[in-house]
């Protein structure tokens, strides 16, 4: 039975051709998970050695992208394609004098540059130039005097912003093949096997760029990573974290306790990271655990009191442990896990349980990973995240901040937090490690491999009509959008998600599974309900999931065909993340539909801009969905209104306060999702259901019971 057929209730349904099928994300793997690459980079990789030719398409591509000067040389700005090529070769000659990487490399700088550039990878040292030079000078004593003199005499006072930028660019060695993890970076053989077992062949851009930085021989840096949604960031931070722990177990056999903390904004994401981690740690002796309420994790003076007999699962089942008197809590064994994956609040609560002022510390933690770092350092989570950061008291702590979007305020906060920590620890900048930033593609942009539709629906009513047409496009309908399940629908608030869910529940015909095919997921549900819904959606039992921004970030449903923004997102960043639930790992065919009403017009421009840039990246100049007139006509939003929108969303759509009677006020009614009463709809649905059921009984009888299931969607995994 075909899900789409049932949803569309089309009688003349023809199975889509094989070619069309393969374009849908839910129908399998992408040929190549990389989003940006050029033919000559491939050639270079396969030959692994030849210099690139002048005047290539990679460079021409870059010219569309004014913000990122991928080809800026360290010496001077490159203005034309040929000049760029000359600059690259120029640089190669001078490369020996540059302090890019002094490890013995098999690739020269031209090659490294070419590969990094063609994959749109840009690495920058984020420290102040003085600090970089000081740190370099202690590293390399021979060169140091010259450099220091130079920096004092000429460079330091006169460097323009642009020159500083260029001086900070780095071209580290890229990872060309997962096999190099073992052969070149000497990671644990078991870990390498586990990576290989996942069946990935080509590293994605973010893996290509970050793994050598984190696994290489030079001192591990703190790292800020901005890479597109679905580009494999999880693997990029988990492999180095796990490998570091394997090494640690060898070098410190007696040190037990939490060595790494991974923080993620939602339970759904945290649990997904644990699942990914579990596949990688098999047989390595490394343990990864999801933080649960009641677990005892911090050093509250009893760090060494490890109860060897009990294991952490017994503690994690104890839901009330946080509220227990101190004496009893002390009996809960400290969690014995190397990697703890947690939401911010969960860990902060555990670290501050039974404490009045200071929090317990996590003295052994050497790696702190912040996944979706920009949201973790946003006002909502900031205090908790910084508390966790502070509680990681080991002087060798390294932090990794990962996201698809990162405002400059987040970068500044990271820099200042690291600096503060170093001052507290009495570390001089010269002794400290680097803070690097790696950006893949254009910062804060949506992935180029999905199709965007921005649809004006005028009113709330219009949106509902539009969505119904999406669910059941008829021949007569003007809608050119076809969205096949599975897909996600985002609303602004929990009540709206709930209301939309109950409105759509009866739109799924009984023979397609009826209302059980559609579900709603939000943070007011219990943990058990939440994980059951996630499981059923992954299994393919739920086809349409109505949700809030709870699922906007990080969660990886591999084959999602589309995303519907029933309510516009609160910011451009949220748009990038919501639509990034489709088109993962380079898959083509995902669709993102965004409805907007009259009330939304002031907020649409930033979204339209994102779509415009994404279509340019895709090279879709001809039939762009965002016309120039629209971009010109849409109003710009003031900084304050943007802030306000980010915090509260579209005002008219905010959840009504409990005292507001629903029927009160025209505005509230205007923004309501349903028009009919629930009773009416149930009645209608019963009738429809009865008719449909009798029809399908007849059909089944006619087919002699041979109902084919071949075309139906069998789940996401
Ligand atoms: P991000 O965190 O960047 O949004 P994820 O780490 O969730 O992305 O990865 C997205 C999907 O890509 C996952 O399903 C993951 O298994 C898959 N993936 C990761 N690396 C590769 C690779 N090198 N080749 C193919 N698929 C990959
Ligand atoms: Mg992620």
């Amino acid at each position: 039975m075909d899900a789409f057929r049932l949803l569309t209730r089309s009688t003349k349904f023809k199975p889509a051709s094989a070619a069309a099928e393969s374009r849908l994300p839910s129908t399998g793997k992408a040929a190549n998970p990389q989003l940006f690459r050029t033919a000559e980079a491939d050639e270079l990789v396969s030959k692994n050695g030849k210099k690139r030719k002048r005047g290539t398409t990679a460079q021409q591509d870059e010219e569309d992208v004014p913000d990122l000067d991928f080809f800026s040389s360290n010496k001077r700005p490159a203005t034309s394609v040929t000049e760029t090529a000359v600059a690259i070769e120029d640089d190669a000659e001078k490369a020996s004098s540059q302090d890019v990487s002094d490890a013995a490399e098999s690739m020269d700088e031209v090659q490294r540059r070419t590969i990094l550039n063609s994959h749109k990878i840009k690495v920058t040292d984020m420290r102040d130039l003085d600090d970089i030079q000081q740190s370099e000078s202690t590293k390399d004593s021979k060169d140091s005097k010259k450099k220091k003199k130079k920096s004092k005499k000429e460079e330091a006072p006169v460097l323009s912003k642009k020159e500083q930028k260029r001086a900070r660019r780095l071209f580290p060695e890229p990872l060309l093949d997962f096999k190099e993890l073992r052969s070149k970076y000497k990671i644990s053989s078991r870990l390498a096997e586990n990576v290989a077992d996942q069946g990935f062949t080509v590293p994605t851009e973010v893996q290509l760029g970050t793994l050598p930085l984190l696994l290489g021989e030079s001192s591990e840096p703190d790292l800020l990573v901005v890479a597109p949604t679905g580009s494999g960031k999880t693997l990029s931070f988990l492999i180095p974290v796990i490998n570091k722990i394997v090494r640690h177990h060898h070098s410190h056999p007696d040190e037990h306790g939490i060595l790494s903390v991974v923080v993620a904004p939602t339970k759904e994401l945290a649990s997904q990271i644990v699942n990914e981690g579990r596949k990688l740690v098999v047989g390595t002796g490394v343990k990864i655990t999801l933080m649960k309420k009641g677990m005892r994790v911090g050093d509250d003076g009893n760090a060494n009191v490890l109860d060897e007999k009990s294991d952490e699962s017994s503690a994690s089942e104890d839901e009330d442990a946080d509220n227990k008197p101190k004496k009893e809590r002390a009996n809960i064994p400290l969690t014995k896990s190397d990697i703890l994956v947690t939401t911010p609040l969960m860990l902060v609560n555990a670290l501050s349980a039974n404490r009045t002022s200071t929090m317990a510390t996590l003295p052994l933690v050497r790696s702190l990973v912040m996944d979706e770092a920009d949201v973790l350092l946003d006002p909502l989570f900031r205090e908790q995240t910084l508390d966790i950061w502070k509680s990681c008291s080991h002087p060798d702590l390294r932090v990794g901040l990962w996201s698809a979007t990162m405002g400059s305020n987040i970068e500044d906060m990271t820099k200042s937090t690291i600096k503060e920590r170093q001052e507290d620890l009495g570390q001089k900048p010269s002794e400290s490690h680097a803070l690097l930033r790696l950006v893949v593609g254009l910062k804060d942009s949506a992935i180029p491999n999905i199709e965007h539709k921005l649809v004006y629906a005028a009113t709330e009513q219009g949106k509902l009509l539009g969505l119904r047409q999406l669910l059941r496009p008829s021949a007569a309908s003007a809608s050119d959008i076809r969205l096949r399940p599975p897909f996600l629908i985002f609303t602004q608030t929990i009540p709206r998600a709930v209301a939309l869910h109950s409105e759509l529940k009866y739109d799924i015909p009984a023979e397609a599974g009826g209302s059980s095919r559609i579900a709603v997921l939000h943070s007011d549900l219990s943990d058990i309900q939440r994980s059951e819904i996630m499981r059923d959606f992954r299994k393919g039992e739920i086809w349409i999931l109505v949700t809030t921004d709870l699922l906007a970030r990080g969660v990886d449903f591999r084959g999602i065909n589309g995303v519907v923004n029933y309510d516009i997102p609160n910011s451009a960043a949220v748009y990038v993340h919501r639509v990034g639930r489709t088109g993962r790992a380079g898959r083509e065919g995902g669709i993102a539909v965004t409805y907007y009403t009259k009330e939304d017009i002031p907020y649409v421009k930033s979204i339209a801009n994102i779509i415009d840039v994404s279509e340019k990246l895709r090279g879709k100049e001809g039939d762009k969905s965002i016309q120039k007139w629209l971009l010109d006509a849409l109003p710009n939003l003031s900084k304050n209104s943007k802030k306000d929108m980010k915090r509260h969303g579209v005002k008219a759509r905010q959840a009504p306060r409990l005292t507001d009677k629903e029927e009160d006020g025209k505005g509230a009614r205007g923004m309501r999702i349903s028009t009919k009463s629930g009773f009416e709809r149930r009645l209608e649905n019963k009738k429809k259901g009865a008719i449909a059921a009798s029809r399908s009984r007849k059909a089944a009888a006619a087919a002699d019971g041979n109902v084919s299931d071949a075309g139906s969607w069998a789940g996401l995994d």
Side-chain angles (χ1 to χ4, degrees), residues 230 232-234 237 269 272-273 371-372 553-555 581 584:
K233 292 186 284 294
T234 318
F237 61 71
L269 181 53
Q272 177 181 300
I273 294 169
D371 194 15
E372 308 295 341
R553 281 179 177 255
V555 290
R581 295 317 97 210
R584 299 185 72 73

Side-chain angles (χ1 to χ4, degrees), residues 293-439:
K293 212 176 158 195
M295 270 163 55
R296 214 175 114 235
V297 290
D299 178 2
D300 39 14
N302 297 316
N304 298 322
V305 194
L306 269 177
D307 185 346
E308 291 296 330
K309 277 170 235 156
S310 10
D311 95 87
E312 91 264 14
S313 58
S314 59
S316 63
E317 279 152 20
D318 190 346
E319 287 285 312
D320 288 328
D322 276 353
N323 311 320
K324 282 193 173 166
K326 203 172 180 175
K327 219 176 164 187
E328 269 180 64
R329 260 193 71 78
N331 290 334
I332 302 170
L334 265 184
T335 297
K336 280 187 298 168
S337 184
D338 304 292
I339 307 172
L340 185 71
V341 186
T342 181
T343 58
L345 187 62
M346 195 89 88
L347 183 53
V348 166
N349 278 347
L351 290 173
S352 48
N354 293 306
R355 291 177 154 254
T356 42
S357 55
T358 56
M359 296 207 320
T361 56
L362 294 160
L364 305 181
V365 173
R366 312 293 208 283
S367 318
L368 172 62
V369 174
M370 292 168 245
D371 194 15
E372 308 295 341
D374 55 331
V375 86
L376 292 176
L377 291 173
D378 228 35
L380 184 65
F381 291 115
R382 183 178 299 160
E383 212 177 309
Q384 298 159 16
T385 306
L386 290 177
D387 278 350
I388 292 170
W389 196 337
K390 274 178 213 143
S391 72
C392 299
S393 53
H394 199 282
D396 287 341
L397 177 77
R398 292 293 187 275
V399 290
L401 296 98
W402 303 73
S403 185
T405 50
M406 194 94 66
S408 57
N409 59 328
I410 303 296
E411 297 182 355
D412 292 343
M413 196 183 309
T414 307
K415 271 204 271 192
S416 61
T417 309
I418 289 174
K419 229 177 176 157
E420 256 170 52
R421 250 185 84 89
Q422 283 168 349
E423 278 160 18
D424 288 350
L425 289 164
Q427 290 172 335
K428 287 183 213 135
S430 58
E431 298 160 358
S432 65
H433 50 276
L435 166 63
L436 304 184
R437 181 185 68 187
L438 184 144
V439 180

Side-chain angles (χ1 to χ4, degrees), residues 33 178 200 202-204 207 228-234 556 558 584-585:
F178 279 122
F200 302 145
V202 190
T204 63
Q207 293 159 355
T229 52
S231 68
K233 292 186 284 294
T234 318
D556 180 53
R558 253 169 227 185
R584 299 185 72 73

Side-chain angles (χ1 to χ4, degrees), residues 537-594:
F537 191 54
R538 287 206 151 100
K539 268 169 50 187
E541 277 159 22
I542 294 169
W543 293 354
I544 299 167
L545 192 52
V546 186
T547 187
T548 62
D549 284 324
L550 178 74
L551 288 196
R553 281 179 177 255
V555 290
D556 180 53
F557 302 117
R558 253 169 227 185
I560 266 195
N561 288 327
V563 167
V564 178
N565 291 314
Y566 189 78
D567 295 334
I568 59 160
N570 290 5
S571 70
V574 175
Y575 181 83
V576 169
H577 288 277
R578 278 186 183 180
V579 303
R581 295 317 97 210
T582 183
R584 299 185 72 73
R587 287 175 178 82
E588 290 283 339
I591 301 174
V593 184
T594 304

Side-chain angles (χ1 to χ4, degrees), residues 144-154:
S144 70
K145 276 178 196 162
K146 266 191 234 160
K147 251 180 225 163
K148 242 186 179 168
K149 263 189 205 161
K150 209 177 158 194
S151 76
K152 270 188 193 155
K153 271 190 188 162
E154 21 176 330

Side-chain angles (χ1 to χ4, degrees), residues 1-3 6 511-512 517 543 705-715:
M1 152 198 327
D2 189 289
L6 290 165
E511 65 268 39
R517 292 296 189 201
W543 293 354
N706 280 335
V707 183
S708 160
D709 229 14
S712 75
W713 170 54

